[in-house]
Amino acid sequence: VLLAYQDSCALCKLKHRELLDAAHIIPDHEPEGLPIVTNGLSLCKLHHSAFDSFILGITPDYEVIVRNDILEETDGPVLQYALKNLHKSKLIVPRSPSERPNRDNLAWRYEKFISVG
């Protein structure tokens, strides 16, 4: 997964491999949560945690959506620049179409994000 994204976070472009994770779109404890590139995203530690915590979601059209309560919150620069500024931005996807996130998997995960929010 990290190689498909050229060792870069798909949300913020951070290129420090030691700060990147291969994040599952559909978690591996689910039957559909296969350990394959199209079910993964290269995310920095902060964005991986935000994705897993449903602070942000990604639509099947690769649009990043930040939860409304987070958008309304006032805090320091990390919240503003690392999370809130991602709202309605586009996911950075691999060059190869065969390595891009599976849209059905993203739809599955986005439904979970909507139900939590």
Side-chain angles (χ1 to χ4, degrees), residues 1-115:
V1 171
L2 298 183
L3 290 176
Y5 287 84
Q6 299 181 331
D7 290 326
S8 179
C9 178
L11 298 180
C12 70
K13 301 181 187 177
L14 182 71
K15 290 190 176 288
H16 288 271
R17 189 178 178 100
E18 62 274 19
L19 296 175
L20 299 174
D21 292 329
H24 283 84
I25 297 169
I26 297 179
D28 58 358
H29 66 270
E30 297 286 342
E32 304 90 351
L34 301 175
I36 56 176
V37 173
T38 57
N39 187 45
L41 300 168
S42 176
L43 298 175
C44 69
K45 306 275 184 195
L46 174 66
H47 292 133
H48 186 180
S49 184
F51 184 67
D52 283 353
S53 302
F54 299 104
I55 287 174
L56 60 83
I58 301 167
T59 73
D61 294 324
Y62 304 139
E63 185 176 39
V64 180
I65 303 297
V66 177
R67 217 172 56 208
N68 283 333
D69 64 315
I70 300 299
L71 292 173
E72 294 169 2
E73 188 177 330
T74 302
D75 197 359
V78 172
L79 181 70
Q80 183 62 46
Y81 296 110
L83 292 173
K84 291 169 71 171
N85 280 0
L86 291 174
H87 188 62
K88 300 209 174 213
S89 66
K90 284 290 188 181
L91 184 71
I92 301 160
V93 296
R95 288 184 185 154
S96 171
S98 67
E99 294 180 324
R100 292 182 184 156
N102 179 291
R103 290 178 189 268
D104 291 335
N105 290 5
L106 286 172
W108 183 96
R109 182 65 177 245
Y110 192 69
E111 286 299 317
K112 301 283 184 203
F113 170 76
I114 295 296
S115 71

